[in-house]
Amino acid sequence: MSGIVVIFDFDKTIIDIDSDNWVVDELGATDLFNQLLPTMPWNSVMDKMMNELNLQGRSIEDIENVLKRTPIHPRVVPAIKAAYALGCDLRVLSDANLFYIETILKHLGIREYFSEINTNPGFVDDKRKLRILPYHDFHVFSHGCTLCPPNMCKGKIVERIQAELAKEGKKRIIYLGDGAGDFCPSLKLGENDCMMPRKDFPVWDLICKNRKLLKAEIHEWTDGEDLERVLLQLIGKMMLMEDENTNQLFDCKFETIAHEVLPKPLYVP
Ligand SMILES: Cc1ncc(C[n+]2csc(CCOP(=O)(O)O)c2C)c(N)n1
Ligand SMILES: [Mg+2]
C-alpha cells in the first residue's frame, strides 16, 4: 500500500460518455426521457425510464448488452491497473448508479481493483426490473449542500473518506472528475492532495473561476491517454516524496537510537 487514495468519477472520466444517456439513447427512449426530465428529479426519471423500458419488453440482458458496448478510451484500463499495481487504493465516486458501474467494470475485468463504489443504488428487483434510487433520500432529509444535486453531495462523501483515511494512516488523495458535481469535493481536498479536472469540462470551468478556493494542486487532463500520463506522474511524485519522508524519519530515528544505545567511543584519536 502506497498511502495514496485515487478517487475516480465515472461518467466522462472512466468511461467516455454519460451512462444514463447512453442506455436511454441506445434503447431508443430519448424522447420520453426528454419529456420526463423537466417534471421530476434525475434519479426518479431514470427509475421511471427503467420501468418504461421493461413495459416495452426490454430485458435486463438488453440493458447489460448496451452497457458492455460503452465507449472507453483504450488507455484508461491500463492506467487503472498501473495505479493499482503501484499500491494505490482506488475508489469510484459517481452520480450514475451501482448496476451500470458494476456491469461495466466487471465487463472490463477491473471491478476488483476498486475498494469502494460510492454511487446511487441500482439493482434488479424480484420482477427482473432495474430500480434506480437516490444516494441520499432527499424525501427524508436534505444533505444541505447548495452546490450539489439533491440526491448526492460528493463533497460530503469525500469528507467521510478523509475521516476514515486519517484513522488508516493513508495520507493523500488524487481526485479525477469532469462534471459540476465534482466541484464540491474538489473544495474539500487539502494542500497535499491533487485535483485532476478534465480540461474544458464543467468542473474545469468552475475551478478556473474559483481558483483561490482550492487548496489542492490542480493538474488538468484532456483524454484517456493524458489521464494515464498525468495520473501516473502524480503517483510517482507522491511516492518519491513519501520515500524521502520515510528515509528522513528513518535517519532521524537511527540517529536517536545510535545516540542512546551505542557506547561512547573510549578513544578519540
Ligand atoms: C440537477 C441534476 N442534473 C443532473 C443530474 C444527473 N447527473 C448529473 S452529472 C451525471 C453523470 C453522473 O455520473 P458521474 O458522477 O460518474 O460523472 C448525472 C447522472 C442530477 N443528479 N441532478
Ligand atoms: Mg462525470
Side-chain angles (χ1 to χ4, degrees):
M1 276 290 166
S2 70
I4 302 167
V5 178
V6 186
I7 303 178
F8 291 88
D9 168 65
F10 192 73
D11 289 356
K12 294 191 177 168
T13 297
I14 290 184
I15 60 171
D16 226 11
I17 41 96
D18 270 329
S19 52
D20 286 339
N21 299 85
W22 172 253
V23 170
V24 166
D25 294 348
E26 290 295 302
L27 293 176
T30 313
D31 288 347
L32 178 60
F33 181 72
N34 289 338
Q35 277 169 31
L36 291 175
L37 213 46
T39 68
M40 59 181 94
W42 187 285
N43 288 141
S44 315
V45 174
M46 283 311 293
D47 193 41
K48 198 165 171 56
M49 288 304 299
M50 295 305 117
N51 189 40
E52 290 296 325
L53 288 169
N54 179 266
L55 291 174
Q56 290 174 16
R58 302 288 197 172
S59 65
I60 292 295
E61 288 71 27
D62 292 334
I63 297 170
E64 281 173 343
N65 287 336
V66 168
L67 290 168
K68 288 176 188 172
R69 292 193 278 108
T70 301
I72 178 166
H73 189 285
R75 294 317 303 169
V76 172
V77 170
I80 288 169
K81 289 183 174 173
Y84 182 84
L86 288 167
C88 298
D89 174 350
L90 312 184
R91 305 180 185 212
V92 173
L93 177 45
S94 167
D95 195 6
N97 70 77
L98 192 62
F99 183 81
Y100 288 4
I101 295 173
E102 285 204 311
T103 303
I104 294 170
L105 292 181
K106 280 179 192 164
H107 179 66
L108 296 170
I110 53 171
R111 169 63 188 91
E112 300 312 318
Y113 291 81
F114 294 91
S115 66
E116 197 177 79
I117 298 176
N118 300 281
T119 187
N120 301 297
F123 59 91
V124 181
D125 73 6
D126 49 7
K127 297 188 184 73
R128 300 283 298 156
K129 209 163 56 183
L130 185 57
R131 298 296 315 272
I132 296 170
L133 304 176
Y135 180 86
H136 302 296
D137 187 352
F138 48 84
H139 302 295
V140 179
F141 79 105
S142 158
H143 57 58
C145 170
T146 52
L147 292 173
C148 293
N151 65 297
M152 174 174 274
C153 171
K154 290 190 179 187
K156 290 255 170 353
I157 300 172
V158 162
E159 283 179 329
R160 193 259 301 149
I161 293 173
Q162 285 171 323
E164 286 169 12
L165 297 187
K167 284 185 219 149
E168 291 169 25
K170 286 180 188 148
K171 289 172 222 97
R172 308 179 78 169
I173 295 177
I174 302 175
Y175 187 109
L176 298 88
D178 71 291
D182 299 308
F183 181 59
C184 175
S186 77
L187 301 177
K188 310 290 182 190
L189 301 175
E191 58 183 12
N192 293 322
D193 300 327
C194 287
M195 178 63 195
M196 284 182 55
R198 189 167 188 178
K199 188 169 189 291
D200 294 330
F201 281 67
V203 74
W204 184 85
D205 291 336
L206 285 163
I207 288 174
C208 289
K209 287 190 194 115
N210 298 280
R211 194 75 183 69
K212 291 207 181 96
L213 295 181
L214 270 84
K215 295 189 271 302
E217 272 182 33
I218 301 163
H219 297 269
E220 66 191 24
W221 59 283
T222 53
D223 61 9
E225 188 180 340
D226 208 29
L227 177 156
E228 180 184 40
R229 183 183 60 79
V230 177
L231 177 63
L232 297 184
Q233 237 170 41
L234 285 178
I235 293 172
K237 200 173 98 181
M238 283 186 177
M239 288 175 71
L240 212 65
M241 286 169 75
E242 235 171 59
D243 279 354
E244 277 166 11
N245 287 343
T246 314
N247 286 343
Q248 271 172 20
L249 203 67
F250 177 79
D251 287 347
C252 161
K253 262 196 191 143
F254 181 78
E255 258 182 31
T256 317
I257 293 168
H259 229 79
E260 285 168 4
V261 179
L262 297 181
K264 292 204 169 50
L266 292 173
Y267 172 68
V268 182

